[in-house]
Amino acid sequence: MNFIIALQAEAKPLIDALKLKKVSGSLPFPTFQNDNHQLVVSGIGEIASAGATGFSLGKSHAQDHPFPFLNIGIAGHGSLGVGTLFIADRIFSENHSSIYYPPQLVDSEIIRSPLQTCELPNRDYQEKKGYDMEAHSFYTTASKCVTRELVQVIKVVSDNLHQPLDTFNPKVVSKLVETNLPTILGLVRSLEKLANEISPDRETLAFRRDALHSQHFTETQTHLLVQLLNHSKSFDIEEAKILQSLKNENSAKAALKALAQLIEPYRILS
Amino acid sequence: MIEYIYFEVGIEDHPRTQEFFRRFPKATKIPCNHYKEVFNPRGQSFRLQKKNPALILAKQNGKKIHPIPASYGVGGSQNFYFSHLLNCLYDCRYCFLQGMFASAHYVLFVNFEDFQSEIKQKHDDLGDNPSWFFSGYDCDSLALESLTGFAQDFIPFFRKLPNSWLEIRTKSIASQVLEKTDPLDNAVVAFSFTPEEISQQLEHKVPSVQSRIKAMKKLANLGWKIGLRIDPIIDCIDFNTRYAKLFEQLITALPAESLHSVSLGAFRMPTGFFRSIQKLYPKEQLFSGKLEKKNGNIAYRAEIEKERISTCQSLLLSHIPKEKLYLCDPVEIK
């Protein structure tokens, strides 16, 4: 799971709850990690958010395992009360024509709301929608690499018509997020579960690695090998038998041919 | 249960849209400018969305009636299909929709009246030539009837066009809408089947073969003309025994006069769609079969395809006259 959060104060409750450790070294963004989570503090605004999301994508291993991406922060809102958590079901920007509709598959009680990303802090609460400064570019960047169901934006209302931005006390930022932490962590777990449904299991990945190391395969041959390994899995052919057949040959080409021959008799629906 | 309804702002006031809003008051309603903003973007997971698809209400502004491939008819000389709905309640692993669409959400075009007006126009243009209109290409015609009201709306419409035939293609047993109305002389209710063992493996969420036969028999006894669609034919172990048993079950369930037609089509899919679906379900046995690429499609190797079709033809011709048997040849993809 990857978190992209604009402010350190917004991130702090998650860092504490998930016991994330700061990654040392010269990094473009403050980054915190544990074994399963990565949190990047982006700074305010669309450019910072896009940069941090790209940085986070580069550090995750999205090819093997589709990690969810979650943008969390505070936002203004035209109708919801201060402290209310909402999930964005429509994200648009005053600067871009593209509109995003994050598919909502997680069964959650979180309120849904449209969200407009603005260049400057919004002081006009005319419509029933949220206002932030990062979500659109976050979504643009993350959804290029991660399936959209796993890219979500949740915000806690910090200001509205009755408690406008000018009266906002920045010291309560952490508190706003912290109060909603149980719900946020519930969503995190649900998104991780969703990601697992479309991820290869660890055994499959380990088997694939072993097979790839059995010969020196070119890129094209690797593609073919992965396809044959999937076929072998679909017929439950013993892994040891597969690896042995690959290792017995003198070349990658011969290994692929041997594997194809091994699978051939199985190729019929049971 | 529909939890999310996306709707094009342009059809917010359409009576059918308003009816959906009334029926699903708790659904989250999300406006969009055009359904393609939600439905078309790449980078969506058809597999994940299939767990809980949303409903998208839209207007079909483009062409609504399309010609079907030349070899896909069941006796008519003028054949067309139309899609009031994109995507299906069921989750058949061999279905091309998974590869064709980026999203598993249901898109319902609410402007039935425009579809009907185009069909009427086609009917008038063709004069005395009987024409066929196939409704189940991009969806199951009946499975979501309680949601869409498609048959309830189109059956009375086709009753006024005796020279135009309607094919209602389905795997559904939700046939109450047909049971409640007089059979339509110019309609065929076409049920798709694979043998039970294959259905259980590949046709997820689809009613059992037995319950479909029961529903089909009921409609036949009420006077509806029935079509049998053995498409796709799936290569499997015990092929001859399984298909022979299926055909026996189907034919004995139907009064001979009810059977309008039987069509056969081997498993085939445009290569691009196949590759997309294979990524969704990499360990699916169906996609690891004896397949090859030919004419832009992925299909069974020629010798297997030929043998399996020939077997099905022979088995069927022991039950039905050859005039009722049709073969759907794969379309070359260029």
Side-chain angles (χ1 to χ4, degrees), chain A residues 7 40 50 52 77 124 150 182 187 189 206 213 257 261 267:
Chain A
L7 303 171
V40 176
H77 204 282
D124 182 12
L150 302 180
L187 178 72
R189 283 190 292 274
H213 288 140
K257 192 176 173 191
Q261 281 170 350
R267 289 186 182 279

Side-chain angles (χ1 to χ4, degrees), chain A residues 1-8 10-11 14 38-54 56 67-75 85-92 100 102 104 110 113 115-118 130-143 146 148-157 177 184 187-188 191:
Chain A
M1 168 63 84
N2 295 272
F3 302 99
I4 306 296
I5 300 181
L7 303 171
Q8 181 89 21
E10 294 169 316
L14 271 163
Q38 177 172 271
L39 185 153
V40 176
V41 179
S42 66
I44 292 172
E46 290 212 66
I47 292 173
S49 178
T53 309
S56 191
F67 290 103
F69 269 72
L70 193 57
N71 172 224
I72 304 176
I74 56 170
L85 180 71
F86 70 88
I87 189 162
D89 57 20
R90 186 160 56 103
I91 301 168
F92 46 100
Y100 298 109
Q104 301 296 316
I110 303 174
S113 169
L115 177 64
Q116 179 178 342
T117 298
C118 310
Y131 301 90
D132 88 327
M133 296 174 69
E134 290 87 24
H136 192 274
S137 63
F138 159 77
Y139 210 91
T140 304
T141 312
S143 63
V146 180
R148 291 172 186 230
E149 295 75 18
L150 302 180
V151 183
Q152 298 291 340
V153 174
I154 51 173
K155 301 281 172 178
V156 184
V157 178
V177 176
I184 294 170
L187 178 72
V188 167
L191 287 173

Side-chain angles (χ1 to χ4, degrees), chain A residues 90 99 101 103-105 112 147-149 197 201 204 227 230-231 234-235 264 267-270, chain B residues 4 31-32 37 41-45 47-49 51 201 235-237 242 282-283 285 288 290 301:
Chain A
R90 186 160 56 103
I99 303 173
Y101 301 85
Q104 301 296 316
L105 297 183
R112 283 89 175 183
T147 189
R148 291 172 186 230
E149 295 75 18
E197 288 183 33
D201 55 68
T204 300
Q227 196 174 53
N230 283 335
H231 291 179
S234 72
F235 297 114
E264 180 65 13
R267 289 186 182 279
I268 191 161
L269 195 73
S270 54
Chain B
Y4 290 90
C32 60
E37 290 175 352
R42 307 310 297 180
Q44 304 190 68
S45 170
R47 180 172 170 176
L48 287 179
Q49 288 187 10
K51 288 158 59 81
Q201 288 181 69
D235 186 29
C236 61
I237 60 167
R242 288 177 179 180
K283 293 181 198 168
Q285 273 191 5
S288 308
K290 291 177 180 170
R301 294 173 197 164

Side-chain angles (χ1 to χ4, degrees), chain A residues 227-241:
Chain A
Q227 196 174 53
L228 288 171
L229 294 176
N230 283 335
H231 291 179
S232 75
K233 278 275 176 190
S234 72
F235 297 114
D236 283 330
I237 304 174
E238 211 182 318
E239 289 181 3
K241 213 169 161 184

Side-chain angles (χ1 to χ4, degrees), chain B residues 263-314:
Chain B
S263 65
L264 293 174
F267 172 72
R268 71 281 183 196
M269 194 180 289
T271 307
F273 296 176
F274 182 86
R275 300 282 179 239
S276 300
I277 302 172
Q278 207 177 22
K279 280 182 194 154
L280 294 176
Y281 302 98
K283 293 181 198 168
E284 172 56 59
Q285 273 191 5
L286 175 69
F287 308 140
S288 308
K290 291 177 180 170
L291 304 167
E292 66 182 7
K293 191 175 168 184
K294 50 185 173 191
N295 302 325
N297 284 301
I298 298 288
Y300 288 118
R301 294 173 197 164
E303 69 278 11
I304 295 171
E305 184 180 287
K306 194 175 165 192
E307 188 194 322
R308 296 316 193 196
I309 289 177
S310 166
T311 301
C312 287
Q313 278 178 311
S314 304

Side-chain angles (χ1 to χ4, degrees), chain B residues 192-203:
Chain B
S192 305
F193 287 100
T194 58
E196 186 72 59
E197 298 86 348
I198 296 173
S199 179
Q200 284 173 6
Q201 288 181 69
L202 301 180
E203 296 177 341

